[in-house]
Amino acid sequence: MGLKKMAFGGERLEKLRNSEVVSRSRMKLWMIRATTTVLLWTCLVQLMALSETWGPRVLKGWPSCFSHESAVALAVRSSPHLLIGFDMLKCTSATTFVIIVCAIICILVTIVLSFESLVFELGVYKNNGYLMVSCNGGLNQMRAAICDMVAIARYLNVTLIVPELDKTSFWNDPSSDTQGSTSKGQEESRAGNNIYNAPVSWSDISYYHNQILPLIQKYKVVHLNRTDARLANNGQPVEIQRLRCRVNFSALRFTPQIEELGRKVIKMLKQNGPFLVLHLRYEMDMLAFSGCTQGCNTEEVEELTRMRYAYPWWKEKIIDSDSKRKDGLCPLTPEETALTLKALDIDRNIQIYIAAGEIYGGKRRLWTLVASYPNLVRKETLLDPSELRFFQNHSSQMAALDYLVSLESDIFVPTYDGNMAKVVEGHRRYLGYKKTILLDRRLLVDLIDHYNSGSLTWHEFSAAVKDAHAERMGNPTKRLMMPDRPKEEDYFYANPWECLQPSDEDEQPVIISI
C-alpha cells in the first residue's frame, strides 16, 4: 500500500502546467492592452475638445495637425460615430467638461486596477501538484472515498486526477489497517523505486498538509492506492465538511444508463402507492465475512466457513455466531426482519423493495417474510431480463440502482449498518430527514428471543419494539464522537449535520470519552 512517485507522464504534466501559465499570461496582456488603448483614445479626444476652449493660449505652439478641425477629421476617418460626440463637446463648459474627463479617467483606472488585483488574487492559487487515487472497496465505500479525496485535494491546492475505481477486489477493504499492503500495492511501490506508508486511517486534514503535501511538492505526482476511511469524521474545518457534502450530494452522478433505469423502477413503484426499501443484508458474502449463521443448517454453516477461510484478508476466522448476534453485530435474518416490521405496525399491503443481492437460502429463508408481506419485489422481478443484462455481472452497478431507489422510498429500513446503509441514511437526512428506521439489533434480538420463548406476549413485544425505535427514525441529531475509537463513532456520511445546519451555527458534536 503506498504513496509513490509517478515517473510516467511527467513530461505531459509539465507541458500542461506550462500551457496553463502561457494562456493566463496572454489573456492578462490582451486585457491590459485593450484597457490602455481605450484610456489613451479617451484622453486624446478630451484634449482635442479642450483645445477649443483654451485654444491659442495653450496650444498655439503645437503643430497644425493638432487643430480641432484636423482632430475631428482624423476621428471621423477612424470612427465616424465620434462626430456626434465632438459636436456635443462644443456646447460643454470647460469646468463641467474637466469634471467629466476626470471622472472617466478615474473609472478607467479603477477598472484597470481591479483587473490587476483580480489577476494577482487568482495567481495565489498555484497548483502544488497532482494527486492520483485508486479507490478500494464496494460502491459506497468508494463514493465516500472520492468525496474525501476531493476535499483533501482542494485543501492542498492540488489537481485530483479522475479516480480509478476498484473493479476486481472482493471485500478487500481493511479500513483499520494503517500499514498493511496487498501484494499488488507492494509491487507497484517497488516498481516506482519509492516506498512510502499509506495515509493513516481517520487522519485529520492537517496530517495531509504536513505529511502528504511535501511529497506532492517534491515528486509533483503522488499516488494513493488506499482511500477508504482516510479522513476523520470529526474535528475538520466546516468548509471541508461542507465540501464533502457538496461532492456527495451534488457533484457525483451515476451513468445516464443507471439513472434512467433507476427512474423507471421508482416510477413503477410509485404508481402502486407508497413503498418501503428493505436493505436486507443476508447475502452469502456478508454471512461468511461476519460469521453469522443464525437459522442456517449444518451444510450452509460449513459452506460459509470455507468461504471465510478462502479470503486471507478476512482476518477473523473463528467466530462465535451466537455471541456476536447477542451483541447486535449480525444482520437480522429474514425471519427476524418480518417480526420487527410487524411489531412496528408496517402495513401488510405496502410494497417492499429488497435492495440486496441474492438472499442466502433463497425461497426457504424468505418464506416467512413473503407470508407476512406478500407485495415483496426486487429489481429482477420489476424489470425485463434484457434491461438488466448489462448490469448483472457488475455488482457495483446493481448496487447503484438500489441506491437510487432507496433514496426515493417512503421508508428505508437497513437490517445491518454497512456502508450502503450509512451513506443512504445520510443522503436521506440531507433530502429532508426522510423516514429511515435505524434498527437497534442488540435490543431486537433479545426481545425476539423472549417473544419466541413465550416470556413476552405479542402486545408486550410490539410495544417494546415501538418504544425503542420512537427516536430512531432518521430524526435530526448530533454525531457521537469517540476520539480514541474512530471506527466505532458515528460515521460522517451517515449524519453530515454540518451540512444540515444554517451556516452561522457552530454547534459541536457530542463527545463521549471511553
Side-chain angles (χ1 to χ4, degrees), residues 274-326:
F275 70 97
L276 177 152
V277 167
L278 180 63
H279 187 40
L280 188 61
R281 290 298 273 122
Y282 208 75
E283 303 97 336
M284 182 179 183
D285 55 2
M286 181 70 242
L287 299 180
F289 174 76
S290 64
C292 299
T293 57
Q294 177 74 11
C296 296
N297 58 40
T298 303
E299 291 182 359
E300 290 171 336
V301 172
E302 292 175 352
E303 182 181 35
L304 294 172
T305 302
R306 286 194 300 271
M307 183 178 187
R308 183 163 64 254
Y309 276 88
Y311 293 93
W313 48 82
W314 291 357
K315 295 180 179 180
E316 195 176 8
K317 302 299 182 183
I318 301 175
I319 301 174
D320 184 342
S321 177
D322 291 336
S323 176
K324 198 167 185 178
R325 174 178 173 271
K326 289 178 180 178

Side-chain angles (χ1 to χ4, degrees), residues 406-407 409 424 426-431 433-436:
S406 298
L407 290 184
S409 65
V424 169
H427 205 151
R428 287 174 65 85
R429 288 179 185 272
Y430 180 80
L431 294 174
Y433 296 103
K434 302 179 75 171
K435 189 173 183 178
T436 302

Side-chain angles (χ1 to χ4, degrees), residues 86-187:
F86 274 94
D87 291 336
M88 292 177 63
L89 291 177
K90 291 179 181 179
C91 302
T92 305
S93 67
T95 303
T96 305
F97 195 72
V98 169
I99 294 174
I100 294 175
V101 171
C102 291
I104 293 174
I105 292 175
C106 288
I107 292 172
L108 290 172
V109 170
T110 302
I111 292 173
V112 173
L113 292 177
S114 298
F115 173 74
E116 286 292 320
S117 175
L118 178 61
V119 168
F120 285 116
E121 184 179 350
L122 292 174
V124 171
Y125 299 102
K126 179 182 177 182
N127 181 20
N128 287 319
Y130 295 81
L131 181 64
M132 296 183 66
V133 297
S134 297
C135 299
N136 60 294
L139 172 71
N140 292 286
Q141 195 169 6
M142 291 190 288
R143 182 186 185 96
I146 291 173
C147 298
D148 289 347
M149 292 299 116
V150 170
I152 290 168
R154 176 66 184 86
Y155 186 82
L156 300 182
N157 241 351
V158 300
T159 299
L160 178 65
I161 297 172
V162 177
E164 177 188 9
L165 301 182
D166 186 352
K167 300 178 182 178
T168 57
S169 70
F170 180 71
W171 282 54
N172 187 4
D173 55 357
S175 299
S176 60
D177 183 8
T178 60
Q179 300 296 333
S181 163
T182 64
S183 60
K184 178 181 178 182
Q186 291 172 339
E187 291 170 2

Side-chain angles (χ1 to χ4, degrees), residues 10-72:
E11 214 172 284
R12 181 180 175 186
L13 294 174
E14 191 62 33
K15 289 180 180 179
L16 177 62
R17 288 196 294 269
N18 292 337
S19 66
E20 291 174 353
V21 172
V22 171
S23 177
R24 287 197 298 269
S25 299
R26 287 177 177 173
M27 181 187 72
K28 177 181 175 182
L29 181 60
W30 183 88
M31 290 295 293
I32 291 174
R33 285 177 176 175
T35 305
T36 304
T37 301
V38 171
L39 181 61
L40 290 176
W41 266 105
T42 302
C43 291
L44 179 62
V45 170
Q46 306 311 328
L47 285 174
M48 293 304 101
L50 288 174
S51 67
E52 179 70 19
T53 303
W54 294 340
R57 289 183 299 167
V58 179
L59 304 174
K60 63 181 180 179
W62 288 20
S64 61
C65 62
F66 282 94
S67 66
H68 177 73
E69 290 76 9
S70 62
V72 172

Side-chain angles (χ1 to χ4, degrees), residues 249-280:
F249 304 135
S250 302
L252 286 182
R253 290 286 186 273
F254 295 117
T255 63
Q257 295 86 349
I258 293 175
E259 293 203 340
E260 182 181 354
L261 201 58
R263 285 192 292 269
K264 181 175 182 178
V265 172
I266 293 166
K267 183 178 179 180
M268 294 172 70
L269 290 167
K270 287 186 174 181
Q271 284 176 343
N272 296 319
F275 70 97
L276 177 152
V277 167
L278 180 63
H279 187 40
L280 188 61

Side-chain angles (χ1 to χ4, degrees), residues 61 78 211 227 234 252 302 311-312 316-317 350 370 444 455 462:
S78 302
Q211 301 294 327
T227 58
N234 301 296
L252 286 182
E302 292 175 352
Y311 293 93
E316 195 176 8
K317 302 299 182 183
I350 194 172
V370 173
L444 279 173
S455 58
S462 178

